[in-house]
């Protein structure tokens, strides 16, 4: 693996945490496969397509016509069942504007009967609260997936 990518201290970011009642390996599977994301990411949009090539340099793309948005990016680093670093690009965010890629770091820490998940995403200060709310929504669905 290349040198560990970190978000510099001076960069604006939001951080969201969750505790999932599953092993880090089980949670990892849901973050690195199209079949995994289908189970919890945007289930409210039945037309969402998921493309995932979870390897360093590989890409991902999630799109929903019903929701009217999508996200895409590249996997920069993967440390199995421990950490994912990726670039994040809202596909609908820059229509008529500039494309922007944010950095996202997802960390998994297996503790007892479950896994602590921490998501950190960079972004402009005025967009951090909506990003936080979106991630909180997704992580709540991830937690609920394992409650069933």
């Amino acid at each position: 693996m290349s040198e560990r990518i970190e978000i510099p201290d001076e960069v604006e970011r939001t951080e969201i945490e969750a505790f999932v009642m599953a092993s880090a390996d089980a949670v990892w599977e849901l973050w690195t496969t199209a079949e995994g994301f289908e189970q919890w990411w945007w289930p409210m949009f039945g037309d969402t397509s998921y493309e995932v090539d979870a390897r360093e340099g590989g890409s991902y793309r999630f799109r929903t016509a019903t929701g009217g948005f999508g996200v895409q990016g590249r996997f920069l680093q993967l440390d199995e069942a421990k950490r994912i670093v990726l670039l994040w690009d809202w596909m609908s965010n820059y229509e008529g504007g500039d494309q922007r890629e944010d950095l996202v770091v997802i960390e998994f820490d297996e503790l007892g009967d479950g896994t602590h998940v921490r998501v950190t995403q960079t972004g402009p200060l005025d967009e951090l609260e909506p990003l936080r709310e979106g991630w909180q929504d997704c992580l709540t669905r991830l937690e609920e997936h394992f409650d069933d």
Side-chain angles (χ1 to χ4, degrees):
M1 186 164 82
S2 55
E3 185 177 331
R4 183 178 167 108
I5 296 172
E6 300 287 351
I7 298 173
D9 290 339
E10 67 276 6
V11 174
E12 297 293 339
R13 78 201 62 217
T14 190
E15 186 175 288
I16 307 87
E17 300 181 24
F19 189 77
V20 180
M21 294 301 296
S23 70
D25 288 333
V27 177
W28 176 265
E29 184 73 17
L30 295 185
W31 282 87
T32 57
T33 65
E35 299 78 19
F37 278 108
E38 287 173 3
Q39 296 178 48
W40 66 280
W41 187 259
W42 288 332
M44 67 290 258
F45 302 114
D47 69 340
T48 303
S49 64
Y50 301 91
E51 301 167 28
V52 179
D53 180 11
R55 62 182 171 83
E56 289 186 14
S59 63
Y60 68 92
R61 179 182 297 210
F62 312 149
R63 293 177 289 195
T64 169
T66 304
F69 52 87
V71 64
Q72 64 186 359
R74 286 183 304 113
F75 290 93
L76 300 178
Q77 291 182 336
L78 293 105
D79 185 3
E80 189 165 345
K82 294 186 183 348
R83 192 169 189 264
I84 299 171
V85 180
L86 51 87
L87 290 175
W88 179 277
D89 168 24
W90 281 111
M91 293 162 52
S92 59
N93 225 24
Y94 56 87
E95 291 177 10
D98 293 330
Q99 179 177 0
R100 185 187 85 235
E101 290 181 318
D102 296 325
L103 190 62
V104 177
V105 177
I106 305 114
E107 298 170 295
F108 309 95
D109 187 16
E110 195 166 311
L111 302 168
D113 293 340
T115 300
H116 178 252
V117 179
R118 176 184 298 116
V119 176
T120 307
Q121 181 169 351
T122 64
L125 190 58
D126 63 337
E127 293 181 22
L128 293 181
E129 189 55 34
L131 285 173
R132 179 177 179 69
E133 290 171 7
W135 277 113
Q136 189 61 63
D137 187 47
C138 286
L139 292 181
T140 296
R141 283 193 300 278
L142 181 64
E143 290 171 328
E144 290 170 350
H145 173 76
F146 286 104
D147 288 344
D148 295 339

